[in-house]
Amino acid sequence: MGGKVYVYRRGDSRYWQCSTFLDGRNWRTSTKEDSLSRAKDFAEDWYLGLRGKKVMGQLKHEKTFKQAAAKFLEEYEVITLGERSPVYIDNTKRRLRNYLIPYFGDKGLSEITAGMVQEYRVFRQKNSVPRYNRKDDDGNPKNYGPPARSTLHQEIFTLRQVLKTAMRHGWLTHLPDLSTPYKTSGKIKRRAWFSPEEYKQLYEATRRRIKNPPKPRWKHNCEQLHDFVLFMANTGLRPDEALSLQYRDVTIVEDEDTEETILEIEVRGKRGVGYCKSMTGAVRPFQRLVERNKPKPMDLLFPVFPRQLFNNILEEEGLKIDREGQRRTAYSLRHTYICLRLMEGADIYQIAKNCRTSVEMIETYYASHIKTSLDTAAINVRRPRKSKKSEPITAESLLAE
């Protein structure tokens, strides 16, 4: 084409590439062709397409979303090393690879507006994605249905992170509005927990399972599960914190303030290293663990969590689903600890410190649903009624009588 387009191939690639100088800068791309004749045809179409965009004023001298996403992933893995789990990073890559890059990939960064993001939300709700790792009865890939609200929220969050990376490198001047339009304030649901009656029903069921295990060799797992339930509901630990707990992290002490025997626990988990003081109900389960397992200091209290056994007991007792339709898990034992402490009138700030969370989280997801947090004396206030003032006695009134 008169020297306007060049087709070339690098030594370490089997594909031909093409390049041109247009509108004051170099443009290049891969033809994805290993045949020179087909590569020439691709290069001509590509060049004419660029010329057409220039005429229409659509030729953008800016980075694309795909380039910003590649830069984000390059930095993200290095910066978050040790702070984010490999599973979390893989999920971020999957969201970019499967959904965001196919939709926004070739768009210039300035083209990604609030309207385009809203179009993406609509697109995701209307279009299912083939699930190639699962087949239906006819052997065809099953399709995902519309994404859950939390799934779409995570995708928009990942989109925001990529755009922030572009801003840091000067590729974008400002972030578009990524908030969801037409949305009212969401209803805050309380976390799934066990009421005092349900908690009693649960630990009595795990105790009965020790006496009647499904198989004799499962008795140890039943004993471990029973102590796990009691330990969790009396300490408020997160499941991952409990499963990484070693015997050397737990100490039986006499508490000076309450004059009771409790556990002092050095916790390592989501929030780093923290400390927890248990209820007295956690002491005996810990002692049984020591007597049963004869552990070394660095052994784990709960090497394995018998999740299937736990779920089976919940199903048998009708406790798996609460009345709001939420599924109860091992995390529900932590929520039970917090709710029971609030019902007993414990200080919310001290609960937050002991559970290594914030007061705001407890007020939002726990305290607002506990009836004992309402002070009846402060609510049912009655002002004394004022008595009707009597008319003053005067000389005229006496004469009238």
Side-chain angles (χ1 to χ4, degrees):
M1 302 186 70
K4 296 177 180 178
V5 186
Y6 294 88
V7 177
Y8 61 96
R9 184 170 61 186
R10 300 182 187 277
D12 56 350
S13 175
R14 64 189 182 93
Y15 293 128
W16 291 89
Q17 294 181 318
C18 54
S19 67
T20 186
F21 185 84
L22 185 65
D23 201 22
R25 59 159 289 188
N26 288 309
W27 303 82
R28 61 172 56 87
T29 188
S30 173
T31 66
K32 298 295 182 182
E33 298 287 352
D34 53 8
S35 168
L36 180 57
S37 60
R38 290 197 299 269
K40 288 180 179 180
D41 294 338
F42 176 92
E44 289 183 13
D45 293 339
W46 170 74
Y47 174 74
L48 293 175
L50 289 179
R51 287 292 303 269
K53 288 183 179 180
K54 179 184 177 183
V55 173
M56 299 296 293
Q58 298 174 349
L59 199 59
K60 300 292 184 181
H61 292 252
E62 62 177 348
K63 298 287 186 179
T64 63
F65 179 84
K66 187 175 183 179
Q67 292 173 310
K71 191 65 176 178
F72 161 73
L73 289 175
E74 177 187 336
E75 297 177 354
Y76 191 66
E77 289 193 65
V78 175
I79 293 174
T80 61
L81 187 62
E83 296 183 5
R84 289 291 189 183
S85 70
V87 174
Y88 186 92
I89 294 176
D90 288 342
N91 286 338
T92 301
K93 290 181 178 179
R94 177 182 54 79
R95 286 190 285 272
L96 282 168
R97 182 178 62 250
N98 295 345
Y99 309 115
L100 295 172
I101 291 179
Y103 192 89
F104 297 104
D106 295 330
K107 301 287 190 301
L109 291 171
S110 64
E111 296 180 69
I112 302 175
T113 61
M116 182 179 289
V117 175
Q118 182 62 10
E119 291 174 359
Y120 172 75
R121 290 191 179 98
V122 175
F123 172 82
R124 288 285 285 121
Q125 291 292 336
K126 291 184 176 180
N127 296 273
S128 58
V129 179
R131 196 167 187 170
Y132 294 101
N133 60 340
R134 294 192 179 181
K135 307 289 183 179
D136 58 17
D137 296 336
D138 298 329
N140 299 317
K142 284 188 176 180
N143 288 343
Y144 286 108
R149 182 191 62 82
S150 59
T151 301
L152 197 53
H153 172 75
Q154 290 170 349
E155 292 175 15
I156 300 301
F157 178 74
T158 304
L159 173 64
R160 181 183 288 109
Q161 288 181 310
V162 173
L163 296 181
K164 283 185 175 180
T165 301
M167 286 186 64
R168 284 195 294 272
H169 290 277
W171 302 341
L172 189 64
T173 57
H174 66 280
L175 280 178
D177 181 10
L178 302 182
S179 61
T180 306
Y182 320 120
K183 182 182 177 183
T184 60
S185 298
K187 182 174 70 173
I188 297 175
K189 294 184 178 180
R190 69 179 179 185
R191 304 291 175 84
W193 66 296
F194 299 96
S195 66
E197 297 77 15
E198 291 171 331
Y199 171 58
K200 182 179 180 181
Q201 179 184 351
L202 174 61
Y203 71 70
E204 286 180 348
T206 56
R207 183 185 294 135
R208 288 195 303 271
R209 188 55 62 93
I210 295 175
K211 298 179 181 178
N212 298 295
K215 295 182 180 179
R217 60 188 175 87
W218 289 0
K219 183 177 181 180
H220 180 267
N221 284 346
C222 296
E223 292 172 337
Q224 290 285 110
L225 176 61
H226 179 64
D227 290 335
F228 178 83
V229 169
L230 295 174
F231 187 87
M232 292 287 289
N234 283 277
T235 59
L237 268 64
R238 298 179 177 88
D240 63 301
E241 294 172 343
L243 295 177
S244 63
L245 203 62
Q246 299 178 357
Y247 283 90
R248 61 179 175 177
D249 298 326
V250 184
T251 308
I252 300 175
V253 298
E254 295 292 331
D255 186 59
E256 296 180 357
D257 297 328
T258 61
E259 298 182 353
E260 293 178 339
T261 304
I262 64 169
L263 301 179
E264 285 187 354
I265 305 172
E266 187 174 338
V267 183
R268 288 173 171 81
K270 177 180 177 180
R271 297 297 181 185
V273 180
Y275 293 89
C276 168
K277 290 190 176 182
S278 76
M279 299 291 294
T280 57
V283 176
R284 185 55 191 149
F286 176 71
Q287 291 174 335
R288 285 198 297 265
L289 288 170
V290 174
E291 294 168 3
R292 183 188 313 124
N293 299 322
K294 304 294 189 296
K296 297 178 181 178
M298 290 183 290
D299 289 346
L300 297 175
L301 267 71
F302 304 102
V304 177
F305 172 57
R307 182 176 289 101
Q308 188 62 47
L309 178 60
F310 180 67
N311 287 330
N312 288 343
I313 293 176
L314 291 180
E315 294 285 356
E316 292 170 5
E317 298 295 321
L319 298 174
K320 183 60 181 176
I321 307 295
D322 69 1
R323 64 182 300 171
E324 280 81 26
Q326 299 181 99
R327 301 177 67 84
R328 291 190 175 104
T329 63
Y331 235 108
S332 302
L333 296 169
R334 171 181 168 86
H335 307 327
T336 300
Y337 168 84
I338 296 175
C339 291
L340 293 182
R341 294 299 90 230
L342 291 172
M343 292 172 66
E344 293 293 334
D347 180 67
I348 191 171
Y349 176 72
Q350 295 298 329
I351 296 176
K353 285 180 61 179
N354 202 47
C355 293
R356 297 154 309 285
T357 187
S358 66
V359 173
E360 180 184 3
M361 286 289 293
I362 293 180
E363 287 180 337
T364 302
Y365 294 103
Y366 303 97
S368 60
H369 307 290
I370 302 300
K371 63 182 179 180
T372 53
S373 64
L374 300 176
D375 187 353
T376 308
I379 296 172
N380 298 339
V381 176
R382 293 182 176 87
R383 291 183 179 179
R385 293 183 178 179
K386 296 180 179 180
S387 58
K388 188 176 181 181
K389 292 183 179 180
S390 58
E391 295 181 359
I393 300 175
T394 62
E396 289 80 2
S397 63
L398 291 174
L399 292 174
E401 292 179 359

